[in-house]
Structures are given as C-alpha cells and as structure tokens.
Amino acid sequence: MPIVPQSARSARPAPFEVLRALAISCLTVAALGACQTTAMQTSKLPPVWQPDLGNSIYKNPVLNADYSDPDVIRVGNDYYLTSSSFSDIPGLPILHSKDLVNWTIIGHVFDHYPLPGFETPQHGDGVWAPALRYHDGLFYVYFGDPDNGIFMATAKNPAGPWSPLHLVKKSKGWIDTCPFWDDDGQAYLVHAYANSRAGVKDMLDICRMAPDGKSLLDEGKLVVDGRNGKFPTVEGPKLYKRNGYYYILAPAGGVTGGYQMAFRSKNIFGPYEAKKVMAQGKTPINGPHQGGWVTTQTGQDWFMHFQDRGPYGRVVLLEPMKWVNDWPVIGDDPDGDGTGEPVLTFRKPDVGRAYPPAAPQTSDDFSSPTLGLQWQWPANPRPAFYSLTARPGWLRLNARPLPAGGKNLWDAPNLLLQKLPADRFHVATRIDGSGLAIGERAGLVVMGQDYACAAIEHTATGWQLVYTVDHTASTGSAEKTQATAALTSPLVGLSLSVDPGAVCQFSFSTGAAPVKIGQPFHAAAGRWIGAKVGLFAQGSAGGHADVDGFWFSR
C-alpha cells in the first residue's frame, strides 16, 4: 500500500502515520521504504497475485479472482475475455491480454441493467454465462438472463462503448447462450436450460439465428441429450468448427466436481459423438469447468476454464490444448487416454514475443474522476450513492438507508465492492467519518451470504468503532455486534488481512499500531459468486463519509 507525501495528494491531512501503521502488518521494512517515493501511483503497486513467473513459465490460476463462466477470443494479436456478472453493476467485464497470462480490465458492456427490480440487489439473477465473439468487424456479447430472455450487444471497440442491450428472444430458463456464424453465412445459437426456471435440464439446443444476430428463426433442435445420467448437468456450451466438424465444448457433472466434455458432428444439428476431454484426475483442481478455446497467432491451441473455490469464487485457469484424431485433449494427459487434467504450471503461450506482467486492477486512490474498473455495486447505482468531486482526491460515500423491507447489508444496493484478488492478501483504507450524522456508520466490509464489517459509528455520545457479523445474512437475519472500541477521532484507518481459507481478520488504527478487532471471520460465497470486499455508508439522516484510498498488498 502506498505511503504518499501530502504534497502529492490534493488537500488532505497527511495519511503517512496511519498508513504506515496499517502497512507494517503486511509489508517488510524494505518494501515500506520503496513505497515512500514521490507520488507513487496506485496503479504501480505490485499485484497480490502474479501468474507470470518471469521465466517463460506461468502458474494457474491466471486469474485468481471470481471471473465465472469465462469466454475468450483472439482478434489479431489481442485477446479478450468476459465472464458472468449476475446482478453486479457495471455488468459483463471485458478483460484484455497480449499473452493469455497477464490480464487487465478494460471496460464493461453496460453500466445499468435496464430491467425492473435491479434497483435493489437481485442476488444470483441477471447475467448468466456470456459468450464473446468477433464477426464482420464487430464484437458480440450474448448471455441468457434466466428470468427475462436472451440478450446481446455489439461494439467496434471491446473497451466500449457497447450498444444498448438487445432482447434476442424472450424466454424462461434459456441460459448459457453462444452464437456461431458458419462459412456459408448462416448463423446459429446454442444454449442450455436452467431447471429452476425451465423445468428441464441436461439438454443443449441449437437454434437458427438471423445473420445480424438480433433474432432467432426457430425454437431450436435438441442436439445433446444428457438426461438419464448420460451427461448430468451438461451446460455452458460453446460452438466451434474445425476440419469439417462442428464442436460443442461443454462441462457436465456439476460445478464443484464435474468435467469437460466435447461433442462433434459433421452436421450442425447432429447426431453428435461425445468424449470426456478434461477432468480433475490426480490434481487439486476440482471440477475443471466451463470455458473457451482460443488459437494463438502462432497456431497453438489453449483452453481457459474456471474452478469453483467457494468464498474466492470461480477462478480462471489456462490449459494447453492439442488435437488427437480430431478430438481436443485439454491440459496434461499423463496416461494418454485422451482425457486431460489441469496443469499447475506450464510454458507460457507462444504469441511471437514476450510481454510484461500485468494483473486486473485492485487498489484505488480515488484521484480519478471515475471509479476504477474493478469496482461493482450489487444493483444499479444512483448518483446519490457517491461523489469523486465533493472532496477532490477522496471518495465520498453518502449514507443511505436500507431499501423498504431490507433486513441487513445483504439487501443494500449501495455497497461498493470488488472481487477477492488472491488466496492471501491485505487491504487497508482510511475513512473520515466526521460527516456522518448521529446514528449513521461507514466502514469496511467482506460481503457474501454471510458478512462481517468494521465501521465508524457516530453515536449520541461520540464516535465508536463497531465490528458486526451476520452469519446468515441471506436469510434476512439481523447483524450481531461482536466488539466495539471508543474512538477519540472520526478519522480511522481500517484494514483486513485475508489468509488461505478466506479467514479474515479486521484491524483499526487511529495513529498508533493497528489493533485487531473481533474474532476471525470465515468469508462465505455469495449466490453463484465469491465473497467481495469493499466499502459502505449506511444511515438515513443525510450524512456522508470520505474515503482516502483503498490499497491492496501481499
């Protein structure tokens, strides 16, 4: 985390002492000295996870954060990836890489989900399993909303702007959609079913699609029938063509313990042969699941997929891929049976040259006029939630009440959150709560179906630090206060250390060494997503809190 001279920051009290105290718990003395350079930018902080080992070798996961249901494409010398975003806004992140190992976030497909109800969190609903494609000079994204239908958007630049979401088909339970344009100009779309909405599952259908991708021309044909235990929970299909075969790459067996299937046919509507092409094998990578195939500019084949790690979410792994008798073999195949298993380390893809390490953005000093691309809200945000101009160089969070019927922070739309970026990390922030009205609070939160938060609270008798936990938040339970500490000032440093197993320890500081507060908290996954970490301000009297940066370190 940065130690920045006051002269390098705009009109704020010197944060040096508080941030030094918070950093000591996670940085070496040498690292602290390195941070005390003039105007060190947040973007230059070392990432907490780096898959590029610097010797032409990478380690998995290449994205050690919750990028569920990834899909990947190459356009020229550039690689792009998108993933599910459910009800988190902005939605459908777009990541960029030059070598499939080092990724950064470059944008989102939309910043407002234009459907009723998403002004409050709709946990687990919204954007499921997207597909990303490039066709005739346009980037396309398709996804199925299990309650509202199939949507698509297009862009000339994947960083945006993207066209408004277009409803391709109103449907219930049609999910995991992927478009395909054939050599003759005909277009198709493959999809799966969500049993919770459609009443059926374990089936993949292909529909004819208009060449412009904006409508379907029929109700589709069943091409993969996984019922009766043949391919349980087959879903997440991606459609490709190679050597005269149509291929559907799709996982089966469930998220935590499943495997990757390949289906092939000389006719797009089948019949399709089936083969298991990747499974856990003897590796620690459980349920190697849904993803996408990409070929480098040098002709190498690679596959990116996710692994469910509970509170850390669905992290993304990169696997070498080869073809044997016109079947893909994904990962390492030590026994030569054609079913690969995930690799832990491997040679980096050959993309013609070497590129420097990179990682998705995490830390934010709030000096930009816009929020960093790493941040998301659990519902459609409103301007009243925050400001980056009210106090230049700080993020102002306006205290907001829970929505009508809200029981706890699980129901709050105004949480500013981001993904857990590694198995182990430290995050620190500093919050000025002097603008909070009596009865309001603001602080640091780890959010999932359970959550914990450390917050500055303005009471009738002064300020206090309150640590609260809700172990069954998604059921509507009430928070329970675990610990409190009197504060002499509303300007407080808050920090969080996360250890393997998503064990979280909160600490606070008012200028001296940080003090632990409360018992360790075991983070829990959200609904179809991992836990998140971030900031909040809660209350109904019109107050606010100002945040002086949000810094990650190893």
Side-chain angles (χ1 to χ4, degrees):
M1 68 187 268
I3 306 299
V4 185
Q6 184 178 0
S7 59
R9 308 296 293 274
S10 52
R12 67 184 67 188
F16 181 84
E17 294 81 9
V18 173
L19 296 184
R20 173 193 282 274
L22 291 171
I24 285 173
S25 64
C26 60
L27 297 176
T28 66
V29 173
L32 276 171
C35 286
Q36 294 174 43
T37 56
T38 57
M40 189 182 80
Q41 296 298 310
T42 298
S43 62
K44 297 186 183 301
L45 291 173
V48 294
W49 178 261
Q50 179 51 258
D52 192 331
L53 300 181
N55 55 358
S56 300
I57 303 294
Y58 73 89
K59 64 179 178 181
N60 271 321
V62 292
L63 288 168
N64 198 9
D66 185 25
Y67 289 97
S68 178
D69 311 315
D71 195 21
V72 60
I73 61 171
R74 177 178 65 86
V75 179
N77 293 323
D78 296 280
Y79 298 86
Y80 302 98
L81 179 146
T82 191
S83 69
S84 297
S85 53
F86 302 99
S87 68
D88 291 331
I89 310 294
L92 284 168
I94 303 294
L95 282 73
H96 170 259
S97 176
K98 282 288 191 178
D99 59 9
L100 291 170
V101 172
N102 297 286
W103 293 89
T104 55
I105 312 167
I106 60 170
H108 294 82
V109 172
F110 61 87
D111 57 13
H112 180 91
Y113 199 48
L115 293 175
F118 285 85
E119 281 63 46
T120 58
Q122 304 296 311
H123 297 285
D125 296 342
V127 178
W128 285 23
L132 179 62
R133 291 293 181 265
Y134 183 74
H135 173 69
D136 275 355
L138 279 179
F139 291 87
Y140 290 79
V141 162
Y142 283 74
F143 68 90
D145 177 321
D147 299 301
N148 294 289
I150 298 169
F151 293 85
M152 59 88 76
T154 62
K156 292 184 177 179
N157 182 339
W162 286 78
S163 66
L165 294 180
H166 171 78
L167 180 62
V168 176
K169 179 179 176 61
K170 187 172 179 59
S171 58
K172 192 82 168 177
W174 289 32
I175 59 167
D176 302 358
T177 55
C178 179
F180 175 76
W181 286 267
D182 209 343
D183 304 328
D184 60 2
Q186 298 296 308
Y188 304 88
L189 183 134
V190 63
H191 72 89
Y193 290 95
N195 187 52
S196 59
R197 274 73 161 187
V200 295
K201 64 174 184 175
D202 305 337
M203 299 186 298
L204 304 180
D205 283 9
I206 290 180
C207 302
R208 295 184 182 275
M209 185 172 71
D212 65 2
K214 293 184 176 181
S215 61
L216 301 184
L217 304 180
D218 59 30
E219 290 300 306
K221 179 181 178 181
L222 176 65
V223 294
V224 173
D225 189 348
R227 292 172 292 183
N228 300 320
K230 289 191 294 183
F231 317 116
T233 320
V234 65
E235 59 185 355
K238 298 293 186 291
L239 185 55
Y240 306 95
K241 191 175 185 180
R242 178 187 180 273
N243 282 358
Y245 281 103
Y246 297 92
Y247 289 90
I248 299 173
L249 302 184
V255 168
T256 58
Y259 43 87
Q260 187 70 34
M261 296 293 300
F263 304 90
R264 75 178 187 185
S265 174
K266 291 283 188 175
N267 186 303
I268 195 165
F269 290 111
Y272 279 84
E273 306 170 81
K275 184 175 176 58
K276 186 186 293 186
V277 293
M278 182 173 60
Q280 179 173 353
K282 297 179 180 179
T283 76
I285 309 301
N286 63 290
H289 212 70
Q290 181 173 340
W293 161 38
V294 66
T295 302
T296 69
Q297 54 270 56
T298 61
Q300 292 182 341
D301 293 305
W302 296 84
F303 188 78
M304 300 193 77
H305 67 96
F306 79 74
Q307 173 203 9
D308 189 298
R309 290 191 176 176
Y312 292 105
R314 297 172 177 183
V315 302
V316 180
L317 288 78
L318 174 66
E319 309 292 350
M321 177 171 157
K322 63 183 179 180
W323 294 88
V324 178
N325 299 323
D326 282 324
W327 284 108
V329 180
I330 300 174
D332 186 27
D333 185 14
D335 57 9
D337 66 354
T339 300
E341 57 185 46
V343 300
L344 300 180
T345 61
F346 205 78
R347 296 181 305 278
K348 289 173 60 179
D350 179 5
V351 294
R353 54 160 290 190
Y355 290 92
Q361 300 90 313
T362 53
S363 298
D364 197 340
D365 63 8
F366 303 124
S367 61
S368 170
T370 57
L371 286 169
L373 295 173
Q374 63 270 35
W375 295 106
Q376 291 178 300
W377 308 87
N380 283 329
R382 296 188 284 280
F385 286 0
Y386 75 103
S387 172
L388 287 162
T389 59
R391 186 176 178 181
W394 297 65
L395 166 69
R396 174 158 295 178
L397 291 176
N398 295 315
R400 305 285 297 181
L402 291 175
K407 305 295 185 183
N408 54 49
L409 291 181
W410 175 257
D411 301 315
N414 62 314
L415 309 181
L416 185 60
L417 304 171
Q418 57 175 287
K419 308 172 191 299
L420 304 188
D423 296 14
R424 181 195 302 272
F425 63 91
H426 185 92
V427 65
T429 186
R430 191 172 75 143
I431 299 179
D432 181 355
S434 60
L436 293 171
I438 291 175
E440 296 182 333
R441 62 175 181 160
L444 179 64
V445 62
V446 173
M447 191 71 203
Q449 295 193 66
D450 304 348
Y451 70 82
C453 57
I456 306 162
E457 185 178 84
H458 192 181
T459 74
T461 57
W463 305 92
Q464 66 174 352
L465 197 287
V466 181
Y467 176 64
T468 55
V469 174
D470 194 329
H471 285 296
T472 53
S474 62
T475 67
S477 62
E479 290 181 3
K480 294 182 179 179
T481 299
Q482 272 203 1
T484 62
L487 298 173
T488 58
S489 166
L491 187 61
V492 180
L494 297 175
S495 64
L496 173 71
S497 293
V498 178
D499 288 322
V503 179
C504 306
Q505 177 64 63
F506 287 82
S507 299
F508 75 102
S509 173
T510 56
V515 177
K516 293 180 181 179
I517 186 166
Q519 297 300 310
F521 170 76
H522 290 256
R527 193 160 291 160
W528 312 127
I529 66 173
K532 290 194 168 188
V533 61
L535 300 157
F536 75 100
Q538 183 187 13
S540 57
H544 64 265
D546 293 334
V547 184
D548 180 17
F550 200 83
W551 296 288
F552 286 84
S553 57
R554 295 177 182 173

